[in-house]
Amino acid sequence: MKLWKRLMCTCRRRSPWLFHMNSGSCNGCDIEFVAALTPRYDAEQLGVLLQGSPRHADILCVTGPVTRKAADAIKTVYAQAPGPKAVVAIGSCPATTNVFIESRTLEGPLGRHIPVDVFVPGCPPRPDAILQGVAKAAAILAERADHPPAAAPVIKPDAVEVQR
Amino acid sequence: MSLTTALARLLIFPGLLFAVPAAWFFLWVERKAVALMQGRIGPPFMQPFYDFIKLLGKDVPVREGIGGLLMKAWPLLAVSSAAGAVALLPVLPAQGGFQGDLILLLALLEVPSMCIIAAGFSSRSIFGEIGSAREAVLSVSYNIVFLLAILSIAVSQHTFRLEALAGLPATPLRWLGVAALLACLPAKLHINPFSLPNAEQEIYAGPMTEYAGHELAMWELAHGLEWVAATGLVATLAAPRFALWWLAALAFVALSFAVVLLLAVLASATARLAIDTTVRFYWHCTLIFAVLAISSALIMRFRS
């Protein structure tokens, strides 16, 4: 049983499948994210595959400051991804809402809606940094295999609302 | 063939115990070859195994009612029929087999694709339905060529028994049939330029959109087994004859490997075609080819 758990841990770390979500990003981070998957950076060495369906994904890569329209969609897609799963917030927008701060059309940052495991800061971040973030998220995911979190993660809105 | 040998062939060699690692190996070879063609290192050797085990450990969304049961059943049916198709391959000579096992092999090879069509429609996802419709159209167009090619080989050599076919010397007509088979394989295995049903990103994941966890793992496995069965069929028809059994087995494996490499190179060198172009390709170009093959096979048969 212990051996099976260790095997599962390794397999989760070595096979992160990604799903890319845009929550109202300016497209800068999306371009860098796609660049990280090109042959030049060869993410497949880490076992990374970009998947078309959130049902197949282990790691959700979210860009953008979470607009009012995108907030519900993000929660839906997060619920559609089967556990265990991890979330990587790409760029400064999902972390702090960046230059769009105090905009009326935003419901960000991302941490108010879904639990975020890794933040990759930058405007936009470099592809290497995104890959490092994905690798870190895969390691977190593997650790989580043995210690599953509570069924519904509790998000405190005021805990992450720093600047408001 | 007695029950014991049949079970041994299904479960041990060339069935599940041999075919599952072979399926993972072929999936890796395909991904690695594409990576090398693009000038990168590519996935580690164990990658398909890691993916499979990881998928086994993932949650599966709860589905209720008959639709949920059906969605559970399709991947299992696909895996078992693909494994059955592999078990029929005459890897080792003098292994048995029966008259008409070629027909059974063709039928079993067809079941996974029907399962994919049914799975997409029973998932009730719009993307699944688009993918299934594409798979149905595609399988109607390539299957005529596929079946005519095999039929021309079988008719010209007077047998529907795989082992007898493998033992007979190759004729020019047989090479024509093998070439037609090779033209159908990219569509049968859903790789570029005919990766229309699963069309990654374009229609999310096609018929697999709603699948997760161990059900998705079964689909991956069925896909790998299809690779083994389809390339094995070509290898059976094209492998040279050897008196030594281990040399024959080696030739079989080497030829399957060569077919996988060829298909991977084709996949990495091309982009996805549109559905109408694909259907036109099969109906216009390869159908003429296949009709020529079968008519010459019939003429040869009546002359001899």
Side-chain angles (χ1 to χ4, degrees):
Chain A
M1 212 55 217
K2 204 177 169 190
L3 192 72
W4 174 251
K5 271 188 177 171
R6 274 180 56 193
L7 177 70
M8 189 61 86
C9 192
T10 313
C11 292
R12 281 183 173 136
R13 187 164 50 78
R14 301 292 294 267
S15 159
W17 288 1
L18 310 182
F19 183 74
H20 177 204
M21 252 194 303
N22 179 331
S23 67
S25 155
C26 70
N27 213 29
C29 294
D30 303 294
I31 289 172
E32 297 302 314
F33 177 71
V34 174
L37 300 167
T38 52
R40 187 179 182 84
Y41 293 94
D42 194 13
E44 211 178 358
Q45 274 182 61
L46 304 173
V48 168
L49 275 187
L50 184 65
Q51 290 295 328
S53 162
R55 289 266 192 239
H56 302 184
D58 303 296
I59 296 177
L60 302 175
C61 295
V62 189
T63 57
V66 189
T67 56
R68 200 166 277 180
K69 287 270 188 193
D72 284 340
I74 286 235
K75 280 184 254 184
T76 312
V77 172
Y78 182 78
Q80 279 172 343
K85 55 194 163 187
V87 177
V88 179
I90 294 173
S92 300
C93 286
T96 62
T97 66
N98 207 5
V99 291
F100 305 107
I101 194 161
E102 289 183 354
S103 163
R104 285 173 296 164
T105 58
L106 289 190
E107 291 203 4
L110 182 66
R112 278 173 64 188
H113 303 285
I114 56 177
V116 182
D117 295 285
V118 179
F119 288 99
V120 183
C123 187
R126 289 187 59 84
D128 339 38
I130 295 175
L131 283 184
Q132 195 187 6
V134 167
K136 205 166 250 178
I140 292 172
L141 195 67
E143 284 304 307
R144 202 174 282 164
D146 284 341
H147 314 283
V154 182
I155 314 277
K156 291 177 189 153
D158 35 60
V160 282
E161 210 165 10
V162 189
Q163 286 98 350
R164 287 195 181 220
Chain B
M1 195 155 55
S2 72
L3 189 65
T4 342
T5 44
L7 267 181
R9 283 187 72 168
L10 183 63
L11 296 178
I12 301 167
F13 187 87
L16 280 177
L17 198 69
F18 163 78
V20 170
W24 287 331
F25 177 66
F26 280 178
L27 287 176
W28 174 75
V29 169
E30 191 233 342
R31 282 172 70 174
K32 183 83 178 177
V34 171
L36 290 178
M37 286 277 287
Q38 293 176 342
R40 50 194 178 93
I41 295 172
F45 180 67
M46 299 284 276
Q47 192 60 50
F49 172 75
Y50 292 143
D51 292 347
F52 183 79
I53 299 287
K54 176 207 75 178
L55 285 174
L56 285 187
K58 286 200 67 121
D59 296 344
V60 179
V62 184
R63 304 190 195 93
E64 283 166 3
I66 190 81
L69 280 180
L70 278 176
M71 278 189 74
K72 277 194 183 64
W74 297 127
L76 292 178
L77 188 61
V79 166
S80 42
S81 59
V86 175
L88 286 172
L89 291 175
V91 183
L92 298 175
Q95 212 184 18
F98 46 90
Q99 184 63 264
D101 57 359
L102 179 64
I103 298 172
L104 182 60
L105 177 77
L106 291 179
L108 285 175
L109 264 181
E110 207 39 53
V111 175
S113 122
M114 296 206 177
C115 287
I116 288 175
I117 297 171
F121 280 116
S122 53
S123 73
R124 303 220 148 228
S125 147
I126 181 81
F127 306 108
E129 285 172 11
I130 294 174
S132 288
R134 284 183 178 189
E135 167 77 28
V137 171
L138 198 60
S139 79
V140 165
S141 31
Y142 75 74
N143 257 329
I144 295 176
V145 181
F146 191 75
L147 295 179
L148 282 183
I150 300 228
L151 208 63
S152 68
I153 296 172
V155 163
S156 70
Q157 308 209 306
H158 297 266
T159 179
F160 274 99
R161 187 171 167 166
L162 269 170
E163 206 186 350
L165 267 183
L168 286 169
T171 56
L173 188 65
R174 183 139 150 185
W175 292 114
L176 197 67
V178 168
L181 279 190
L182 279 176
C184 296
L185 283 194
K188 202 159 188 65
L189 298 170
H190 309 142
I191 56 171
N192 273 346
F194 306 125
S195 61
L196 288 148
N198 49 342
E200 313 87 24
Q201 310 296 327
E202 183 193 333
I203 46 170
Y204 291 84
M208 307 294 123
T209 303
E210 283 296 317
Y211 279 95
H214 59 82
E215 295 165 355
L216 187 63
M218 286 302 136
W219 280 122
E220 295 279 320
L221 188 62
H223 186 222
L225 289 174
E226 266 188 291
W227 268 94
V228 179
T231 55
L233 180 63
V234 175
T236 307
L237 296 174
R241 310 290 135 241
F242 290 109
L244 293 170
W245 67 267
W246 58 268
L247 213 58
L250 202 69
F252 181 89
V253 172
L255 225 99
S256 318
F257 185 75
V259 174
V260 174
L261 272 185
L262 181 75
L263 290 177
V265 167
L266 176 76
S268 57
T270 52
R272 190 181 304 141
L273 294 173
I275 185 81
D276 51 340
T277 325
T278 306
V279 171
R280 201 172 302 135
F281 169 75
Y282 278 115
W283 282 104
H284 283 188
C285 313
T286 50
L287 188 63
I288 297 168
F289 192 39
V291 167
L292 268 181
I294 187 114
S295 45
S296 51
L298 286 172
I299 292 166
M300 267 174 69
R301 175 153 195 168
F302 288 124
R303 278 195 168 177
S304 62

